[in-house]
Amino acid sequence: MDTEALHVALQQSFSPDASLRLPAEQTIKNLKQIPGAIKMLLEIATEKQVQFEIRQAAAIQMKNLCRECWTERYAFMSAHNESGQQQIILSEDDKDFVRMNLVGSLLSEPEKSIQGLMAETLHSIAIHDFPDNWPTLLPTLLQSIALSNDSSQALRVHNSLLALRKVCKRYEFKPREHRGPLNEIVAQSFPLLLPLARRLCDPGENSVEAAMMLKQILKIFWSSTQFYLPGDSYGNSITPCLSNPHAMQPWFDVLHFSLAKPLPEEIQPHSVDERNSWPWWKVKKWAAQIMARLFSRYGIASYAEDEAKDFANFFSQNVAPQFLGPVCDTLNLRPTGQFCTDRVVHLCLTFVDLAIELAPTYKMLKPHMDFLLYQVCFPTVCLTSDDIDLFENDPHEFVHRQNSPLADFYDPRMSAITLITNVVKHRGKDVIPRLLAFLQENLNRYMIATNELKNPVEKDGTFLILGSLSEVLFRKKPYVTEVEGLLISSVFPEFGSPVGFLRSRACWMVQRFSSVKWTDDGTHLKTLLEMVLRALSDPALPVQIEASKALRFLIDADVAHQTLIPVLPKVLEEYFRIMNEIGNDEVVTALQVIIDKFGDHIEPHATALVSQLTAAFKTYCDAGDDDDDAAMAAAQCLECISTVLKGICERPEIYKTLEPHLLPVTHQILSKDGDFIEYLENALDIITFLTYFPSDISNELWEIFPMIYLAFDQWAFDYLNLMVPPLENFISKAPQVFMSKTTIMDNKTVSYADLIVSIVTKTLQEDRASPAEARKAVSLFMSLLLNCKGMLDNYLTMINDQIISKLAQQASEENPATRISLLVVIAAAFYYNPLLELAELEKRGVTQQVFAQWLSDAEKMDKWFPRKITVIALCSILQLPSMSLPQTVGNMIPQIVSTITSTTSKIEKDVDQEIEEDKFDADDTGDYDDYVEGDEDFEGFDEDQDVHSTTDDAYIDALKNFSGTDDVAKFLMGDAWIDDDDDDDEFNTPLDDIETVVLYRDTLKAAFEREPTLYRQVQQALTKETLSVCQQLFAVADSLPTKE
């Protein structure tokens, strides 16, 4: 294929004629297999005479080809691609051509979309090749940037900045030790960028080209300083460096001037959409974003890293106050009738929120708090005309926006609420009285105004602020007593308001103030419940949503119980109607709470509930990947199903009637190659219920077992911990059926037991498996051995191969948790068949080592189950005639007796302690209402104090105590020495009916009677303390009633 033929193929790929389009698409799909294709794509994308759409298509294919074929990609399962073919890698000749010509093509490209595609291509190559295999890249870009004084080179300068940002972006999130090349980039480029940035942010420079270049410079600065300020190895006085905070001052000036730059009305675009995308507003956005990020990292010196303390002190005393001026000036634009984008307002409010916590900046803000609260924040939280239009004409979109999880990151309304809340919390004595008076005045004005003069938008904003402050108000005695009156006088009337968004806000206020202490006979609460129930059928969808969320907060009181029980079927029907209307996870959560609360009354509705929930789940899944609300609601449907299943656990026969609804859902989640992996946890929970509570497992449910295995093997390795409970249920519920079950995989018949062995083997041999996952995996071996007695003789060798090998690796580990789990499996093997297990250890020549490790680690076992199975297993050995024991084990009988004595004693002490704790809990009559979180007398920090939190302080101290990055990773990931994955308190096994102390007594008595001479010698070898404990345990055993 030549360039002309490729041009034709790209052109025909747009053809409406399928006979032309489909062959062209196939040709493009096979480009990776054609040598030199990448060269032809770059030539077509670069040629300005070619039709724009064809150039763009060539640039897209070039980007995809470089990303996919530049270097070998490693996958966990295979080094091949999805079709099983070897990966195709571009030749070195093709790579050299791209590296030599891509930058030149990009620098001269005027079309924005093609610029972006070429820049992304450069980025994907730089990830692999810069700096070692692409040493000319940085000098070429810097050479073009150096031409910034020549106005005719503006395009090349801009595109060089665009490319440089892509190179810096490679290191944006790298840890400090991997940022070496970035330090060099900064050292070489920032001396060129700083004077250019100063010139571009000059008040007289208003060209769009200048804004586009300045925006790229700020983005480069952002990427270069994301987590650390680069070191200065070149001695440049204008290179940012922690050791020289004054070197940052010129850059602080650039940020200051960029945000403070006036933008006259006459030079701005006319429409709001055009203004939002106008480069000069993008410049202000990046300047404010960098300011806020720097403040959050260095604003309060006590939270900064040790090496950044000096810089943080400089920043808090000099820079943060310097930034406050342009930030407040920007926030003043809207109050004075000028334009400002939502994003810039959001970022400036975020900056002020941080400034509230720092004493020097708060002192500057304090005289202007009225301006910030009443002229900036309050108008910002109020609904706009566009919001009201959306409420009335597109309620689905209104609900989506109001409940967006991303709102905190872009919505100025949320940042305004956060600022108000934090000001009240941290500087309360300076603002609370005036703020509440302002809000009360708004409510009074609305109450006395005629209908024509009422301002519902103002009242909605007032409610939003009051509701957001509910937690603070409930902590203050002077205010908490006023809440009931507020609800009755101002909120109750709005349930009947002709204004839809006020009815919605009234339901929202119920959620915020649901814990109010009503002082009447229950009439007010009953009235409120009835109003919320009516709101479930409100003509406005947003009102229905808020009402359905509110109901969950009102159901604890007795009056709620009396009101809801008669209408429960109707309430459930309304919830499902709303769920069919729109996907909202909070609605489903509210339904889940109601089902949980009224579990005793749910049984008659269980089948209908599960049927409706599974139907809703399928509907939400069909909504597509772009509907985040539907995806979250789908997950909540499955959570809600689990709640129903929990509520009927005392009626296990009902589970069988639910299987026809539930099994298709679990099949859908497990059989889609990971397409529904976000729901896998919920599916496994459902399978756990279905395999645990019913008396048997249906044939249809047994078919799920190999599907769980395939999910683990192909795409859900990391979900092993959640797979183990249902897998263990399959084993323990019907061991003989389990051992008879087989499935077809790769045209071979494989037993279910083989699949368990495969899961454990793969986990133990996989480097990425965590210790907790290894422990969880080997518990499957233990489950087999405990439940399938007499049926695993052929598997014992395979089990020992894996366990002994892993035990050898763990011998020197300081943390014994994994080693103990492995020894528990060996103990289970002795319970299964002590003679066979001894033979397995003997043929490997490891009997001495295993027993030595076992008896040593028995002293470190602090959980009930490892102790119990150790006693049972060692007793099974002592029940054998000494002549049948290997000599090494026979010689260790005194140590074995000593170990089971001390371990049984610990078990009995734990039992006694639990009895005492139960008595204590029964006697504990503490009143929860007497406890109030927080100090009601605390009115905030003085203006001379930085805001600090004991929780934050403790967190910072904890991080400082870790010795290295691995420790921090363990801490953040929750795997730091806390062996919380072995919840043996809830672990049911065939050993539960064995009374350990009775087994201990009976075993030793029988051994003494069987071989008196030997065991007298053993007795003489024991310490006096052990003998005394032995006598005490015998007495305990004798005192227990004899079991039938």
Side-chain angles (χ1 to χ4, degrees):
M1 174 181 282
D2 58 16
T3 305
E4 182 60 32
L6 178 55
H7 178 274
V8 171
L10 290 168
Q11 189 174 40
Q12 291 180 344
S13 68
F14 293 96
S15 174
D17 186 347
S19 64
L20 296 176
R21 187 182 68 255
L22 295 178
E25 290 174 348
Q26 189 60 43
T27 297
I28 294 170
K29 185 177 180 180
N30 295 331
L31 282 177
K32 66 179 74 172
Q33 301 174 8
I34 301 175
I38 194 74
K39 297 179 182 178
M40 294 184 284
L41 288 170
L42 180 54
E43 290 171 357
I44 294 172
T46 303
E47 179 52 60
K48 307 297 189 295
Q49 302 303 315
V50 174
Q51 181 183 345
F52 169 75
E53 289 77 11
I54 308 301
R55 293 179 60 213
Q56 188 177 52
I60 291 171
Q61 295 303 321
M62 176 179 67
K63 180 196 71 162
N64 294 341
L65 205 56
C66 287
R67 180 175 294 172
E68 184 177 346
C69 301
W70 197 265
T71 189
E72 187 172 359
R73 293 171 298 146
Y74 295 94
F76 172 66
M77 296 301 296
S78 172
H80 298 74
N81 59 24
E82 293 178 358
S83 62
Q85 299 174 335
Q86 188 70 32
Q87 290 181 21
I88 297 173
I89 307 300
L90 295 177
S91 68
E92 288 303 318
D93 180 60
D94 283 348
K95 291 181 183 180
D96 287 340
F97 181 87
V98 173
R99 283 189 292 252
M100 289 177 59
N101 295 279
L102 176 62
V103 175
S105 299
L106 170 58
L107 297 189
S108 62
E109 180 52 56
E111 295 289 350
K112 182 177 180 180
S113 66
I114 299 178
Q115 287 174 6
L117 291 165
M118 289 184 172
E120 281 301 319
T121 304
L122 183 146
H123 177 246
S124 66
I125 298 172
I127 288 173
H128 304 292
D129 285 12
F130 181 82
D132 296 340
N133 296 326
W134 206 354
T136 61
L137 175 59
L138 184 60
T140 302
L141 298 179
L142 296 181
Q143 186 177 6
S144 295
I145 294 172
L147 302 174
S148 60
N149 288 323
D150 185 348
S151 59
S152 66
Q153 300 297 314
L155 177 63
R156 293 183 66 85
V157 173
H158 171 268
N159 291 0
S160 297
L161 294 169
L162 174 63
L164 182 60
R165 199 279 167 123
K166 294 297 181 183
V167 177
C168 294
K169 193 174 177 66
R170 177 195 169 186
Y171 303 98
E172 187 168 333
F173 299 104
K174 293 285 187 182
R176 191 193 310 266
E177 60 271 18
H178 296 146
R179 290 167 59 92
L182 182 60
N183 292 337
E184 185 172 343
I185 292 171
V186 169
Q188 294 189 43
S189 65
F190 274 41
L192 291 173
L193 299 179
L194 180 59
L196 175 57
R198 282 170 160 167
R199 190 168 74 248
L200 294 172
C201 62
D202 184 272
E205 177 57 86
N206 293 320
S207 69
V208 171
E209 293 77 12
M212 293 174 65
M213 284 190 274
L214 182 55
K215 181 185 74 171
Q216 291 300 333
I217 292 174
L218 294 180
K219 292 170 76 173
I220 291 167
F221 186 91
W222 169 270
S223 292
S224 301
T225 59
Q226 178 64 260
F227 285 123
Y228 308 98
L229 296 179
D232 181 11
S233 58
Y234 286 79
N236 291 312
S237 60
I238 54 176
T239 300
C241 178
L242 282 173
S243 61
N244 180 16
H246 294 280
M248 282 285 280
Q249 187 58 53
W251 285 100
F252 295 147
D253 293 338
V254 167
L255 296 172
H256 181 285
F257 293 136
S258 296
L259 186 59
K261 181 180 175 64
L263 299 176
E265 185 72 20
E266 59 271 16
I267 70 170
Q268 297 192 47
H270 295 295
S271 74
V272 172
D273 288 343
E274 288 176 325
R275 292 190 181 195
N276 284 329
S277 59
W278 193 43
W280 279 114
W281 281 114
K282 295 293 186 182
V283 165
K284 288 180 177 287
K285 183 208 85 168
W286 279 101
Q289 185 167 303
I290 293 170
M291 288 177 177
R293 199 265 312 275
L294 289 171
F295 203 145
S296 68
R297 185 153 297 140
Y298 305 110
I300 297 186
S302 60
Y303 290 164
E305 296 174 309
D306 290 341
E307 65 178 33
K309 292 290 189 191
D310 290 343
F311 180 87
N313 283 319
F314 175 83
F315 184 92
S316 62
Q317 297 298 322
N318 301 282
V319 182
Q322 171 192 343
F323 284 166
L324 206 53
V327 166
C328 289
D329 288 342
T330 302
L331 289 175
N332 192 41
L333 291 174
R334 287 187 175 181
T336 55
Q338 302 176 70
F339 177 81
C340 187
T341 66
D342 281 352
R343 188 77 173 101
V344 172
V345 172
H346 167 77
L347 290 165
C348 288
L349 288 172
T350 300
F351 184 93
V352 173
D353 183 37
L354 294 165
I356 292 294
E357 299 186 18
L358 184 66
T361 46
Y362 177 67
K363 284 182 183 178
M364 297 174 65
L365 285 171
K366 186 178 177 181
H368 308 286
M369 289 309 300
D370 286 356
F371 160 75
L372 283 170
L373 291 175
Y374 312 134
Q375 296 184 50
V376 176
C377 288
F378 184 74
T380 301
V381 305
C382 289
L383 293 173
T384 65
S385 58
D386 288 341
D387 294 326
I388 298 172
D389 179 69
L390 209 60
F391 183 99
E392 295 173 348
N393 299 311
D394 192 354
H396 287 77
E397 181 60 24
F398 181 87
V399 171
H400 285 312
R401 291 190 185 181
Q402 292 295 309
N403 295 276
S404 171
L406 299 178
D408 288 347
F409 301 100
Y410 67 82
D411 188 353
R413 181 176 289 116
M414 297 306 298
S415 56
I417 287 295
T418 301
L419 173 57
I420 294 171
T421 304
N422 286 337
V423 168
V424 169
K425 183 163 58 175
H426 300 318
R427 310 290 182 181
K429 60 185 176 183
D430 296 332
V431 298
I432 288 181
R434 293 202 308 277
L435 175 61
L436 292 181
F438 169 81
L439 298 174
Q440 185 61 55
E441 183 183 346
N442 290 346
L443 296 178
N444 292 340
R445 183 164 53 249
Y446 185 90
M447 187 180 301
I448 63 176
T450 62
N451 289 338
E452 297 78 15
L453 296 178
K454 289 183 184 296
N455 186 343
V457 169
E458 185 180 84
K459 185 166 188 178
D460 179 83
T462 301
F463 276 173
L464 178 56
I465 294 176
L466 283 169
S468 301
L469 296 176
S470 59
E471 183 180 339
V472 177
L473 297 178
F474 275 131
R475 287 180 178 171
K476 307 287 185 182
K477 281 188 177 179
Y479 306 126
V480 72
T481 56
E482 304 295 326
V483 170
E484 183 181 16
L486 166 72
L487 293 175
I488 295 170
S489 63
S490 294
V491 178
F492 278 25
E494 300 311 328
F495 279 94
S497 171
V499 181
F501 62 78
L502 274 182
R503 298 196 303 273
S504 176
R505 185 63 68 190
C507 294
W508 180 83
M509 287 288 280
V510 172
Q511 302 167 44
R512 301 300 301 179
F513 291 102
S514 61
S515 58
V516 63
K517 301 296 184 184
W518 299 99
T519 59
D520 69 334
D521 58 0
T523 302
H524 291 324
L525 178 56
K526 185 177 181 181
T527 301
L528 183 57
L529 266 167
E530 292 170 348
M531 290 190 295
V532 171
L533 287 172
R534 284 197 296 272
L536 288 173
S537 305
D538 193 278
L541 177 64
V543 180
Q544 299 171 26
I545 296 292
E546 292 303 327
S548 62
K549 289 156 58 177
L551 190 57
R552 61 175 284 202
F553 295 97
L554 300 175
I555 60 178
D556 284 333
D558 291 338
V559 65
H561 211 265
Q562 299 162 8
T563 304
L564 282 173
I565 291 302
V567 296
L568 186 59
K570 176 64 175 175
V571 170
L572 297 176
E573 182 182 320
E574 288 294 330
Y575 270 88
F576 283 115
R577 180 189 59 76
I578 295 169
M579 289 165 56
N580 288 332
E581 178 81 14
I582 190 172
N584 185 283
D585 64 306
E586 290 188 72
V587 173
V588 188
T589 299
L591 175 60
Q592 181 180 351
V593 172
I594 292 171
I595 292 172
D596 193 36
K597 177 66 177 178
F598 298 102
D600 294 341
H601 303 271
I602 289 300
E603 282 183 16
H605 312 289
T607 302
L609 280 170
V610 170
S611 174
Q612 293 269 21
L613 287 165
T614 52
F617 171 78
K618 292 173 183 176
T619 300
Y620 295 150
C621 286
D622 292 340
D625 295 336
D626 295 333
D627 193 337
D628 292 334
D629 290 342
M632 289 189 291
Q636 283 303 131
C637 283
L638 298 181
E639 291 274 3
C640 202
I641 288 172
S642 293
T643 302
V644 174
L645 297 178
K646 182 178 70 173
I648 61 171
C649 63
E650 295 182 359
R651 293 282 305 280
E653 68 276 7
I654 299 179
Y655 288 100
K656 293 295 183 184
T657 66
L658 303 182
E659 280 191 16
H661 302 289
L662 296 174
L663 291 183
V665 171
T666 56
H667 274 266
Q668 178 183 1
I669 295 169
L670 287 167
S671 62
K672 285 290 186 178
D673 297 328
D675 291 350
F676 295 100
I677 192 170
E678 64 266 37
Y679 309 121
L680 180 58
E681 179 177 352
N682 306 105
L684 293 170
D685 282 345
I686 292 171
I687 296 168
T688 302
F689 276 108
L690 295 179
T691 53
Y692 184 82
F693 286 105
S695 58
D696 60 4
I697 296 176
S698 66
N699 289 329
E700 294 78 14
L701 191 52
W702 276 111
E703 294 174 3
I704 292 285
F705 187 95
M707 297 179 70
I708 296 176
Y709 170 80
L710 288 173
F712 165 83
D713 185 60
Q714 296 177 5
W715 50 269
F717 179 90
D718 295 330
Y719 285 76
L720 171 69
N721 287 356
L722 301 172
M723 294 177 178
V724 167
L727 292 177
E728 289 181 334
N729 289 345
F730 277 111
I731 297 169
S732 62
K733 182 66 66 174
Q736 290 182 326
V737 178
F738 172 81
M739 292 301 297
S740 69
K741 286 289 183 180
T742 60
T743 187
I744 303 298
M745 289 189 180
D746 297 329
N747 298 318
K748 296 178 182 178
T749 300
V750 184
S751 71
Y752 282 15
D754 288 336
L755 299 182
I756 291 292
V757 172
S758 177
I759 289 174
V760 180
T761 301
K762 183 173 181 177
T763 305
L764 295 183
Q765 294 179 356
E766 172 54 48
D767 291 339
R768 65 181 176 137
S770 69
E773 287 169 330
R775 295 193 289 273
K776 208 70 175 177
V778 298
S779 72
L780 291 171
F781 275 167
M782 182 187 66
S783 189
L784 282 176
L785 291 164
L786 296 182
N787 290 283
C788 303
K789 212 164 186 183
M791 295 179 273
L792 292 171
D793 292 5
N794 294 333
Y795 288 91
L796 212 53
T797 296
M798 287 185 283
I799 291 173
N800 275 279
D801 284 342
Q802 297 302 319
I803 297 300
I804 299 300
S805 174
K806 188 69 174 179
L807 187 60
Q809 297 173 18
Q810 290 286 318
S812 59
E813 286 293 324
E814 180 180 352
N815 184 348
T818 301
R819 196 165 58 245
I820 288 173
S821 294
L822 297 168
L823 291 169
V824 163
V825 177
I826 292 175
F830 275 105
Y831 168 81
Y832 174 83
N833 190 318
L835 285 174
L836 280 180
E837 181 59 16
L838 283 171
E840 289 292 334
L841 298 181
E842 279 292 289
K843 73 181 182 182
R844 292 173 174 80
V846 296
T847 308
Q848 169 69 34
Q849 298 94 311
V850 168
F851 270 83
Q853 187 71 66
W854 191 1
L855 298 180
S856 171
D857 281 340
E859 296 299 318
K860 302 173 185 175
M861 294 175 181
D862 57 0
K863 290 181 177 290
W864 162 81
F865 186 76
R867 289 174 175 173
K868 180 166 186 172
I869 197 170
T870 290
V871 172
I872 293 171
L874 293 178
C875 283
S876 73
I877 296 170
L878 296 183
Q879 289 165 2
L880 298 173
S882 60
M883 294 298 294
S884 63
L885 300 178
Q887 183 178 354
T888 52
V889 177
N891 294 338
M892 300 177 75
I893 289 178
Q895 294 99 303
I896 292 174
V897 172
S898 179
T899 295
I900 64 171
T901 301
S902 63
T903 305
T904 305
S905 176
K906 291 175 183 176
I907 293 173
E908 290 304 308
K909 287 179 180 177
D910 287 346
V911 170
D912 293 340
Q913 183 176 350
E914 287 180 9
I915 293 173
E916 289 300 316
E917 289 175 353
D918 289 343
K919 288 181 179 178
F920 177 80
D921 291 341
D923 293 338
D924 184 12
T925 57
D927 188 352
Y928 177 78
D929 291 336
D930 291 339
Y931 171 74
V932 179
E933 182 181 356
D935 182 359
E936 67 178 50
D937 296 324
F938 178 69
E939 296 183 341
F941 297 91
D942 293 333
E943 65 175 27
D944 294 322
Q945 293 178 298
D946 292 339
V947 172
H948 61 85
S949 161
T950 54
T951 303
D952 290 344
D953 293 343
Y955 183 80
I956 296 297
D957 290 341
L959 287 178
K960 289 178 179 177
N961 289 332
F962 289 116
S963 59
T965 55
D966 289 343
D967 286 353
V968 174
K970 289 179 181 177
F971 172 71
L972 295 175
M973 296 302 291
D975 193 27
W977 312 286
I978 302 174
D979 189 23
D980 58 358
D981 56 296
D982 307 313
D983 298 323
D984 56 19
D985 290 339
E986 301 178 1
F987 191 74
N988 298 319
T989 76
L991 308 184
D992 293 348
D993 292 333
I994 298 176
E995 190 65 61
T996 313
V997 70
V998 174
L999 175 68
Y1000 167 83
R1001 178 200 63 188
D1002 293 348
T1003 298
L1004 289 184
K1005 280 187 174 182
F1008 222 100
E1009 292 171 0
R1010 185 182 65 243
E1011 300 175 81
T1013 303
L1014 171 64
Y1015 278 89
R1016 270 195 292 269
Q1017 294 173 357
V1018 171
Q1019 183 176 352
Q1020 292 171 359
L1022 300 177
T1023 65
K1024 291 181 179 180
E1025 181 183 356
T1026 300
L1027 290 172
S1028 175
V1029 172
C1030 179
Q1031 292 172 352
Q1032 295 170 16
L1033 293 174
F1034 273 36
V1036 171
D1038 292 340
S1039 68
L1040 295 176
T1042 304
K1043 290 188 177 181
E1044 295 292 336

